[in-house]
Amino acid sequence: MHPVFATCGTSVFEEMSRLSAAHGAINLGQGFPVGMEPPEVLAAAARAMNEVSHQYPPMMGMPVLRQAVAEANRRFWGLDVDWETEVLITSGATEALADCFFALLNPGDEVIVFQPAYDSYGVAIRRAGGVPVPIRLDPPDWDLPRQRIVDAITPRTRLIVLNSPMNPIGKVFDRDELAFLADLLDRHDLIAVCDEVYEHITFDDALHIPLMTLPQARERCLRIGSAGKTFSVTGWKVGYVTAPPALLGPVARAHQFLTFTTPPMLQSAVAVGLGLGNDYFDGLKATLRQRRDVLAAGLRGLGIEVLPCDGTYFLCAGITGLGDDDHALCRRLTAEAGIAAIPLSSFYEDRAVRSHLRFCFAKETVDLERAVVRIESWLGQRQRRAI
Ligand code: PMP
Ligand code: GLN
């Protein structure tokens, strides 16, 4: 086995989902939404099953979806995008990320990765011959450590990975932070791989700004979206990359040898989704905001520290007084309380931060409420045992 895969183990999302199923737990671990699929998009997929060809679609993606992605870039972010040269459809954002690393990295190239980070980044970068250079963000504020970023740049630095809104911490990078990053790209001749799968999932006053919209960064960004997140269909694995032709060309070459294409009926249904009215996109935010608030209030009511969350599906909760090791605590919570969560340490290569758990709140409100009751009773039992 290649050493990268020999050492990476099974993904923590799979581990916790399996454990959750084994214990009949409420799964607030893996990030997938429940009960939110837009009926128009499901109906479009069902129709497409009968009406659309079942054979290989074009390698770059179906024109109808590439046009819809270009139009969504204009409508939501004011980006002027040429669908024929600047849009590629992939089998999920995970494939898009791998395509970018495989296509753009030469052996030994360094990649700045902000941690906590989605687990596929490090593995895909290494398998592509690159070297991840982790930059740690710390709770409770998750501030961007600007000087540490500047100091980490070397002549071998090629890419920066930027995930905003950021899994698992719910941080949405603001204009000032983005301007700082855009300036770095320009000064050091770097490229940004922008994982924006949660682009439509922001709350309250938080405003998602694609780094690509900053004029300095327009030609240096690959912007990645996911229908899984935008239309609550994570099993579909339909992703899209928007990038200038000089960057997209190599990425398309990697794509043609990884998956080549993506199921056509799903592509045409996602095109319908991207054309839905603002009420759909406003409703997505409103539903998830309400679910976030239910879980946050429930956990806070039990005296648990809950950090602010401006976007994504996730809340981070402190474990002070509950245990020293977040991973061990997650296993116990699943087995004893019937609640699955994800240890934050699994988003750091060195497990540096073990003080918080990630809870996914994109679940039915009733399950969020039941989860709080279960945690309350588990805490009560612990207390009684301790007396
Ligand atoms: N990036 C981040 C930050 C994610 O949370 C996810 C969620 N699975 C992905 C990428 C992968 O998206 P997809 O399911 O479209 O591959
Ligand atoms: N992105 C999802 C999460 O963070 C899960 C992805 C996966 O299971 N690979 O939970």
Side-chain angles (χ1 to χ4, degrees), residues 92-94 97 118 121 163 167 195 197-198 226 229 234 237-238:
T94 310
L97 287 158
Y118 182 55
Y121 301 165
N163 173 214
N167 178 8
D195 178 345
V197 300
Y198 300 102
S226 168
K229 305 291 145 94
T234 57
K237 299 298 273 192
V238 179

